[in-house]
Amino acid sequence: MSTEILLQQCLIGLANGALIALVALGYTMVYGIVRLINFAHGDLVMLGACLALSLVEFSGLTAAGPVTTWIGIAGLVLACGLFCGSLNVLVDRVVYRPLRGAPKLAPLVSAIGVSFIFMNVGLFWIGPADRSFPPLVPATNLLAGDRLQFTARDLLVVAIVVPLMVALTVLVRATPLGRAMRAVAQDPVAATLMGVDVERVIAATFFLGGFLGGAASVVHGLTITTIGFQMGFLNGLYAFTAAVLGGIGSVPGAVVGGLVIGLVRALSSLLVGERWTGAVVFGILIVILVFRPEGLLGRRTVDKV
Amino acid sequence: MSERDAERPVRGRRSGPFWPRTRTWLRRHWDLAALALLAMAPAVVPALGGALGGQVTIVFISCILALGLNVMVGSTGLVHLGIAAFFGIGAFCHAILTVPTEPFRWSFLPAAALSVLITAGVGLALGAPTLRLRGDYLAIVTLGFGEVVKVSLRNLEQITGGMKGLNPVPPPAAGLRLGGVDLGMQFAVDPRWFYALALGVLAVVVVALRRLERSRLGRAWMAVREDELAAAATGISASRVKLSAFALSSALAGLAGCLYAACLSTTADPNAYDFNRSVMVLCAVILGGLGSIPGTLLGVALLVGFDTVLAPWADAAIQQSGINPGGSMLLSFSGWRLALFGFVLVLVMRLKPAGLMPSRRMAAELREARA
Amino acid sequence: MQRRRFTMSALALTAAAAGCRPSDPGVIRLVSSLPRTGSAKQQSDTIVRGIRLAIAEAEGRVGAFRIEYLDLDDATAAAGQWTSEAEAANARRALQDPDVVAYLGTFNSGAAKVSMPILNLGDLLMVSPANTAVGLTKPGLGDRGEPEIYRPTGRRNFVRVVPADDLQGQLSAEWAWRRGIRRVVILDDNEVYGKGIADLFEERCRELGLTVLAHDAIDAKAQEFRSLMARVRSLGPELVYFGGTTQTKGGQLAKDMAGAGVEAILMVPDGCLEQVFIEAAGPANLEGRCFVTFGGLPPEKLTGKGMAFVEHYRARYGEMPEAYAVYGYEAAGVALRAVRDAGVKDRRTITDAALAIRDYDGALGRWGFDANGDTTLRTLTVSTVRDGRFVFEEVLEPDASPATS
């Protein structure tokens, strides 16, 4: 086996991993703040993709020139981000917020319920069959020669994902909102006592997670170019796994987890066979968690006596 | 649950001999009463001899599966997202031991017994290394395990038949003759036999779990759920207690799997044992009320009953009524099925966050937490 | 009062659910069991339309009986595809209803394995418009014990109007050989149908001396196959064979194949022969490089009764029939013919009448059933994709096969 194919798989793995990471951020941020595994997040991304498809079809972006196309894509990211963010906040307000003091598993079941409702909306929106997303960005190779492929679509993933992650890191590290988020994640009661409006912080977190999910839905549509009402499930499963692998609640952890899962999938397709990829990814997850129960970058929690 | 409910039995005991006492008993053991009623149903409802019988049997089997999960999630407080994997291992073990195309060709009972032992063993093997994981990390490991099992079942064709599954799993009592009647054939022809078998097993499981709940082990489970450190301080070995829950939970899931394979006469394809089923069963347990046996039964009856009994019936009813001549998705029941399902989950959790029928202990805790 | 009314209506509902409808001697009922929710809905839609057309052309009557039709779903929304539970329930439902004399289905071969043994107990005729797995009828070609294990009574009750996979897999390999192709990569979706046909294709390839560079299976729930296609590209095949359907990601596979720069041609079986496949893959990715095999002639090549079928279908539904519509039409036709031949409302007599059909003059031409209940039609056609549409390419005859090397 040549190193070329190995390198090629790594490139593909990293591009896919970046997409997984973008979705994983939505899981990890919400979990960090309210300790809820938001099962509906994958389906939220699916609804974002439905909106993106409708917008592209409606605006006739397919026929536009290159400059307009790139502006259009930026607009799509913004529109879908806003849509998913607002929807996420709305769901939190209506469904999860009344359950803040309830038994721990009640919001989990509600989230599963919301995911079913989202799927039904998607079913009526784009129909039962998979839909092709117009290929706004061609899959042309940017590298010289045809031995290695790094396409314009891979570049697009980088161009959308990296700035978003930088912005998010700055936001969490260096703004008052970020400080409030970290405070609530550590101890909501203490944060309240310090004058932090916890509900506002939670809403902001849901919005940010949803926004990133909306951006991910556009990236998904443009690079994988197929969407369907059931796509949320697997997207969510891998992203959720990435979040836990990296250490759930940790923002850099979600990114690392996403990239690791992308790489493992690509390499196991090459080395073990495509049919075993699912087992390899989850097998590695189990092994890592057995030896490092807090995830790759997670902090060890101490039991309170 | 309000305080009025707690008072009622007392008033009943004071006022009369028979009915009030029966009422007290019913209030406490209504799940057993319901099972008794269901046992009489085939004599009254002829439809149980047809498709309905098969569908209701699936609901019973799901009840056993959910009770197994309840041991983990409800009694011991360990979140488990891969129960379907054990269901699948049970089904496939049973099939390998019984189908005519494999060399073993055991009869139902020994095959089921060994399959249950194997699934319990697999449960222990998964439980032992993951004991120190807590909460959501354990949930994700069990989820991952479920996916690994599904992919393996699909790819190990020489053993599991891959997507074809193993087929045909003989019914219990195959080849057994009683007074000139081929009992195996009876099982294949009339769903009421399986109905009775599944209901009988379910009743045994319910009674056994009720006794277990009050036993030393049952209390130890609850102690670990409430506070692992405090439990350890009183001399309970938390890891042994958790492992026993793992094993029992897996064993019950395996038992349900055996019945499932025998009832469908095939293991079905490995997709029948995927994450969807795990989530469905978990929802049923939580919806009914964590740790409560009657609650679990009610939750399964609602959720699984919705999917396997109500939805097909409603679809056919709408079709035959001629409301929807064009076959539009918007006018069909199945078009709205997911959303209905979702709304039920969201609404029940909103109105009764502890579940429809929480165990007394859980309800008390919730009141305390609110106070 | 309110409460009592509720109880009454609940009772009425239970009675209806219990199927307490009295049997009507003047009515025969056909049921179909196809995946009506989820991803295979489009294909099952066309089959159901074919069935409805056949019944409408008979003016709702056959002999002395009035025909009723019930379209059952063997998929669930939660699963998004057929499930064993739903299929078993459909079969039991049909068996229990004394008016049902024929069961038209299934779409997925795996589902047939569930319902065949159940229906066999009641000698209920099962006519499949789409099951192609060889083991369902042909002794010795499928798994050990097939097909006897599906006949607990030892009697037969299953016929199919569609040619089985042994023909399709084999002729596809021969077609590739004749085209001068020597290096192939085989992929399948790990389903009963897709894997079955891919295995048969591989077997014939090896017999003919073609090099099989790899045979891997995909996860039909995966989103994309770029890693896989990068590997395929490094192997340098001349042809990629995909045993699978549109629902198991045939379109995505074609898309990623083009995206990864694999320059081989793509060959797929009839599970992909539907317009949605072209839409899912993107027409440009298939243009001139994708070949689809199909048992029977494409709608536009049908003659005689077949042409009449296409015209009536277009008149009624406003579009060209998809490939499987004609099989739905033919399956219903066979069931009605069997009822007419039998003349009585008795399941065994009707089933025997169907098994005895040797000369059927239908939309697919003149054909009959052989001793196994398989169609005698042996015509296979290859179509390619041009300008976003399937275009007929050539007819494959089993007799013209090259010598085994």
Side-chain angles (χ1 to χ4, degrees), chain B residues 171-194:
Chain B
L176 211 69
R177 288 185 166 277
L178 202 73
V181 184
D182 184 343
L183 282 183
M185 206 60 181
Q186 286 301 311
F187 264 103
V189 176
D190 190 343
R192 273 173 291 192
W193 285 80
F194 263 114

Side-chain angles (χ1 to χ4, degrees), chain A residues 27-138:
Chain A
Y27 279 97
T28 214
M29 289 175 69
V30 166
Y31 186 90
I33 301 272
V34 288
R35 302 273 176 266
L36 162 71
I37 301 175
N38 186 2
F39 261 101
H41 192 66
D43 300 282
L44 183 77
V45 175
M46 180 269 296
L47 285 187
C50 295
L51 178 73
L53 179 67
S54 297
L55 285 178
V56 170
E57 280 175 352
F58 179 73
S59 66
L61 207 56
T62 34
V67 181
T68 333
T69 306
W70 284 97
I71 296 173
I73 289 172
L76 273 183
V77 170
L78 202 63
C80 292
L82 287 176
F83 169 73
C84 289
S86 319
L87 190 59
N88 220 14
V89 174
L90 182 75
V91 170
D92 173 53
R93 205 27 92 73
V94 178
V95 181
Y96 308 136
R97 192 166 161 182
L99 295 177
R100 292 273 197 262
K104 211 185 110 212
L105 290 173
L108 180 79
V109 172
S110 300
I112 294 171
V114 172
S115 107
F116 278 121
I117 298 172
F118 280 179
M119 265 169 78
N120 214 143
V121 173
L123 176 67
F124 284 140
W125 195 334
I126 58 169
D130 280 354
R131 295 278 300 272
S132 221
F133 199 92
L136 295 181
V137 184

Side-chain angles (χ1 to χ4, degrees), chain B residues 242-321:
Chain B
K242 280 190 189 171
L243 274 182
S244 66
F246 248 112
L248 180 62
S249 174
S250 314
L252 284 177
L255 176 66
C258 296
L259 286 172
Y260 185 73
C263 172
L264 288 179
S265 87
T266 163
T267 55
D269 68 84
N271 282 340
Y273 309 100
D274 67 355
F275 184 59
N276 260 329
R277 187 181 296 272
S278 298
V279 165
M280 190 80 91
V281 177
L282 183 70
C283 285
V285 170
I286 300 173
L287 196 77
L290 270 181
S292 143
I293 292 173
T296 300
L297 298 183
L298 182 68
V300 174
L302 271 181
L303 293 191
V304 181
F306 175 81
D307 227 29
T308 58
V309 184
L310 180 69
W313 174 78
D315 256 339
I318 289 178
Q319 239 187 77
Q320 281 177 325
S321 70

Side-chain angles (χ1 to χ4, degrees), chain A residues 9 132 146 154 225-226 274, chain C residues 216 226-227 233 252 255:
Chain A
Q9 296 294 2
S132 221
D146 63 300
D154 296 325
T225 65
T226 303
E274 178 80 15
Chain C
D216 202 349
R226 290 180 63 199
S227 308
R233 177 168 175 260
Q252 186 65 30
K255 219 179 228 178

Side-chain angles (χ1 to χ4, degrees), chain A residues 109-236:
Chain A
V109 172
S110 300
I112 294 171
V114 172
S115 107
F116 278 121
I117 298 172
F118 280 179
M119 265 169 78
N120 214 143
V121 173
L123 176 67
F124 284 140
W125 195 334
I126 58 169
D130 280 354
R131 295 278 300 272
S132 221
F133 199 92
L136 295 181
V137 184
T140 42
N141 194 1
L142 300 178
L143 298 181
D146 63 300
R147 307 176 72 183
L148 264 186
Q149 267 202 329
F150 185 80
T151 64
R153 285 181 191 162
D154 296 325
L155 182 69
L156 174 92
V157 177
V158 178
I160 294 181
V161 173
V162 173
L164 280 175
M165 290 196 180
V166 171
L168 184 71
T169 313
V170 171
L171 192 133
V172 172
R173 291 256 168 93
T175 62
L177 176 65
R179 199 180 317 131
M181 283 167 69
R182 280 178 290 145
V184 174
Q186 251 173 27
D187 190 338
V189 179
T192 317
L193 293 176
M194 302 313 285
V196 176
D197 184 346
V198 174
E199 282 304 328
R200 267 191 62 190
V201 172
I202 293 177
T205 310
F206 269 93
F207 181 81
L208 282 175
F211 189 92
L212 295 174
S217 70
V218 177
V219 178
H220 180 108
L222 291 175
T223 55
I224 291 171
T225 65
T226 303
I227 66 170
F229 82 99
Q230 287 175 317
M231 70 182 237
F233 170 71
L234 209 75
N235 261 339

